[in-house]
Amino acid sequence: MTQDDGSGKPRFLSFTMPRTLVFGDKAPAFLPRKNQSMTGETFDEIIQAGTDGVLVDLQGHAVYYSQYLDHTFVTFVRRNGLTDPDTARHFNPKEPWPIGAKELKVSWKIVNPGEDTSGFFTTKAQIARLTYDANGHIVADPSHPRAVTLALVGFHVAGVVKGHPEMIWATFEHKDNAPDVPHQGLSPNTIVSQRNWTFYRAGTPYRACNVNAAGNLTLNEETQTLSPVTEVCRVYAEGTDPGSTDPKDVKNRKAIRELNRSVHGQLKDVWANYFEVGAIWFKDGPKLAPDESLATDDLLTGSLKLSNSTIETFTQTQSTMNNCFRCHNTVQQFPPRAGLVALPGLDLNISHAFVNIFFWSQEKKKELPAAPKK
């Protein structure tokens, strides 16, 4: 997916963005990531999954997010008419996404003038300006875009393979994003790292890392900067407890390190600066079923505490949200506002892109304004 598509860009940038399946080319190319809540709300502006948190880089800029669907995923949606909410509601609840279907979520840092980005993949993009709404909330305004250069700092890849309709969920980061927490002798005053990282300043204590400033953020609309900034650290390297001696965890950590060494040995471009944090999937094959909350790890294997420090910064230690399947499940999804209907429990609900398409389609069909911003 990071291979050159012939135009000098990685192949995934030519994939379809979920909003375009509903709104066509009018959908903005980049928006601050909106939240897919546990109650099935469509994405909220500039907040990370499951929180009201915004990741603010050390220069005061919000981290932006985009999402992509591959040809297999899009073809399945279109062939089955799943952009029609009535069709989606009555779809076979036990039919999963087809083998080969993939979705990606990508995190992007705004590049500052003079910043060295030689070790990053970068792209030019139009992004929505941040502003205050009538209620004093910081929101993105896609009607007033601005041109920036973005550096890719992290991404999720989820894909269906034979025997795993739940998708294999893997996450990747840039090697300079943030330090791993040193768990031995850890205390709130422990200095996580003595060097600077992209999202961490040298000498910052653990207690000051991954602090969610929701409700306390301020925006300078002229400079498009936010305060306070977020100091980031990765709580679980390889998505497992570093102190665990469980043979499964030991084997998983070893496999991830060997895989990264193998891949890095074959890469000669900027992609050699990115690494796999870990992956998670069902341990016993195709057990996906409608109305599964996946609130425990009983069915899961791999990196059971998997997070991306740029996508799930604030939920790394929350037991109810500390891996992909805490949010990605097959339960009924409730509407974010009056006038919309709920999405029944379907195997397809494992994809938040599909859930959002369902609610966006209703809003478009009813010609309702967008759901209120939080």
Side-chain angles (χ1 to χ4, degrees), residues 85-322:
D86 293 328
T87 300
R89 287 182 63 242
H90 295 96
F91 193 72
N92 179 0
K94 295 183 178 181
E95 183 168 353
W97 295 101
I99 292 173
K102 291 181 287 293
E103 60 178 84
L104 292 82
K105 295 175 183 176
V106 184
S107 52
W108 306 89
K109 177 189 180 299
I110 295 174
V111 175
N112 293 282
E115 185 175 354
D116 180 12
T117 59
S118 58
F120 293 81
F121 170 76
T122 62
T123 188
K124 296 184 183 300
Q126 296 283 326
I127 62 172
R129 289 183 62 85
L130 303 183
T131 187
Y132 285 101
D133 68 9
N135 296 315
H137 299 143
I138 299 171
V139 297
D141 180 6
S143 67
H144 291 85
R146 63 190 185 104
V148 297
T149 298
L150 298 174
L152 191 154
V153 291
F155 57 99
H156 286 328
V157 180
V160 179
V161 300
K162 185 177 180 180
H164 289 279
E166 78 280 5
M167 299 190 183
I168 307 295
W169 297 79
T171 197
F172 301 79
E173 295 194 39
H174 192 277
K175 65 182 180 66
D176 291 329
N177 277 354
D180 293 328
V181 171
H183 282 254
Q184 188 171 5
L186 180 65
S187 76
N189 295 321
T190 298
I191 301 302
V192 179
S193 177
Q194 296 290 353
R195 79 168 178 91
N196 290 320
W197 300 70
T198 301
F199 296 99
Y200 173 92
R201 287 177 290 201
T204 300
Y206 179 55
R207 68 175 184 276
C209 291
N210 308 331
V211 175
N212 187 347
N216 296 311
L217 282 177
T218 59
L219 168 68
N220 183 319
E221 294 194 56
E222 182 178 354
T223 63
Q224 287 291 285
T225 54
L226 297 160
S227 180
V229 302
T230 311
E231 301 281 355
V232 178
C233 61
R234 188 177 303 102
V235 179
Y236 297 110
E238 288 110 16
T240 60
D241 185 342
S244 173
T245 57
D246 185 312
K248 291 180 290 188
D249 289 339
V250 173
K251 182 179 180 181
N252 183 60
R253 289 196 294 265
K254 180 181 178 182
I256 293 169
R257 293 168 187 173
E258 290 178 348
L259 179 60
N260 279 321
R261 279 195 295 269
S262 174
V263 172
H264 289 155
Q266 302 173 58
L267 296 175
K268 306 299 180 184
D269 53 16
V270 294
W271 298 110
N273 295 319
Y274 296 84
F275 69 99
E276 181 185 6
V277 180
I280 189 169
W281 62 96
F282 282 15
K283 59 187 175 185
D284 294 319
K287 288 186 177 294
L288 189 68
D291 294 307
E292 283 189 324
S293 67
L294 302 177
T296 70
D297 294 336
D298 293 347
L299 295 178
L300 308 179
T301 191
S303 299
L304 300 182
K305 295 183 178 180
L306 184 62
S307 295
N308 186 301
S309 71
T310 65
I311 301 176
E312 294 104 1
T313 311
F314 310 111
T315 59
Q316 296 181 65
T317 59
Q318 294 183 20
S319 61
T320 58
M321 300 197 69
N322 64 352

Side-chain angles (χ1 to χ4, degrees), residues 6-87:
S7 68
K9 294 183 178 181
R11 189 161 56 92
F12 76 82
L13 284 180
S14 66
F15 289 178
T16 300
M17 300 184 79
R19 292 178 71 92
T20 64
L21 286 175
V22 179
F23 300 106
D25 293 335
K26 294 181 180 180
F30 287 88
L31 285 175
R33 184 170 185 263
K34 299 174 179 180
N35 172 48
Q36 174 63 43
S37 79
M38 300 298 285
T39 58
E41 294 180 359
T42 53
F43 286 151
D44 295 322
E45 297 286 352
I46 63 172
I47 59 177
Q48 286 197 358
T51 73
D52 288 325
V54 178
L55 173 54
V56 181
D57 71 19
L58 299 182
Q59 291 72 43
H61 296 297
V63 168
Y64 279 62
Y65 301 83
S66 57
Q67 191 171 8
Y68 306 91
L69 308 173
D70 82 330
H71 178 73
T72 301
F73 192 113
V74 172
T75 298
F76 185 85
V77 169
R78 288 175 170 159
R79 186 177 66 238
N80 290 287
L82 294 175
T83 56
D84 179 81
D86 293 328
T87 300

